[in-house]
Amino acid sequence: MTSPRAVVLLSCLLAFAAPDLALAEGGGGGAKATGSGDRREKMAKRPRDEADLTGGEMIQLEPMWVPVMNRGRGPVFYGITVQLTPQPDKIPDACYKTPWVTEALVLYFHDHPLPGMTQATLESAPLARALKGVVEAVAPGLFKAVHLIEGSSDKINENDADLSLSCG
């Protein structure tokens, strides 16, 4: 005969283990990855240490929301896309540092809101020097260029998309 305590313990174990078992078998009741379009659900074709084999030359980060000063109302947030160009001979190392660069850029923009949101502002020499300095502080010698685009960027080529997915 089983004790009530053993039944409760077994019920708890099954309750906590059941979701893990369902996920391990491909179930789980969540949305299917096929066709959902969520980047996190896609699988990179190559791991980070083989990123140089993708043929890509640019890493495009996920769009980020940055503060832009708005006279009288304080900061307003706009979406930008950051594109990083790694040194050709250091792509795997740059790939490993990309998440750190992303975090450093978010912190930079938090501390230094943009004065306006125009393509001219995003391409200004002082901002380019500042961002290059941020990237160099986190990933010295790994990236040769940082480019900002207002909003989401246009479609990038397949090799750059694969490199971005592997590194992001």
Side-chain angles (χ1 to χ4, degrees), residues 117-161:
M117 180 49 75
T118 64
Q119 196 59 37
T121 302
L122 297 178
E123 294 173 354
S124 72
L127 180 59
R129 280 192 302 276
L131 295 180
K132 182 69 173 147
V134 169
V135 171
E136 279 297 309
V138 175
L142 298 180
F143 294 95
K144 61 182 179 180
V146 180
H147 184 68
L148 300 180
I149 299 169
E150 183 179 358
S152 299
S153 78
D154 294 333
K155 189 111 173 120
I156 58 175
N157 72 49
E158 187 176 343
N159 290 342
D160 288 343

Side-chain angles (χ1 to χ4, degrees), residues 27-45:
K32 301 263 186 219
T34 341
S36 70
D38 187 3
R39 179 179 173 167
R40 292 185 182 129
E41 293 175 352
K42 295 179 183 175
M43 294 295 294
K45 291 181 181 177

Side-chain angles (χ1 to χ4, degrees), residues 18-159:
D20 293 334
L21 292 173
L23 289 174
E25 294 174 3
K32 301 263 186 219
T34 341
S36 70
D38 187 3
R39 179 179 173 167
R40 292 185 182 129
E41 293 175 352
K42 295 179 183 175
M43 294 295 294
K45 291 181 181 177
R46 297 190 183 278
R48 286 187 173 153
D49 58 348
E50 295 177 2
D52 54 341
L53 302 177
T54 64
E57 299 174 351
M58 181 264 301
I59 300 168
Q60 180 169 294
L61 304 180
E62 291 288 327
M64 61 178 71
W65 293 91
V66 297
V68 176
M69 291 311 296
N70 186 8
R71 292 185 183 145
R73 292 192 332 174
V76 176
F77 290 84
Y78 286 92
I80 63 166
T81 299
V82 178
Q83 295 176 335
L84 303 169
T85 307
Q87 297 289 351
D89 59 332
K90 298 182 180 179
I91 290 177
D93 293 333
C95 194
Y96 276 105
K97 288 289 188 166
T98 297
W100 296 0
V101 170
T102 301
E103 185 175 350
L105 290 173
V106 168
L107 293 172
Y108 173 82
F109 284 120
H110 174 74
D111 292 339
H112 304 91
L114 294 174
M117 180 49 75
T118 64
Q119 196 59 37
T121 302
L122 297 178
E123 294 173 354
S124 72
L127 180 59
R129 280 192 302 276
L131 295 180
K132 182 69 173 147
V134 169
V135 171
E136 279 297 309
V138 175
L142 298 180
F143 294 95
K144 61 182 179 180
V146 180
H147 184 68
L148 300 180
I149 299 169
E150 183 179 358
S152 299
S153 78
D154 294 333
K155 189 111 173 120
I156 58 175
N157 72 49
E158 187 176 343
N159 290 342

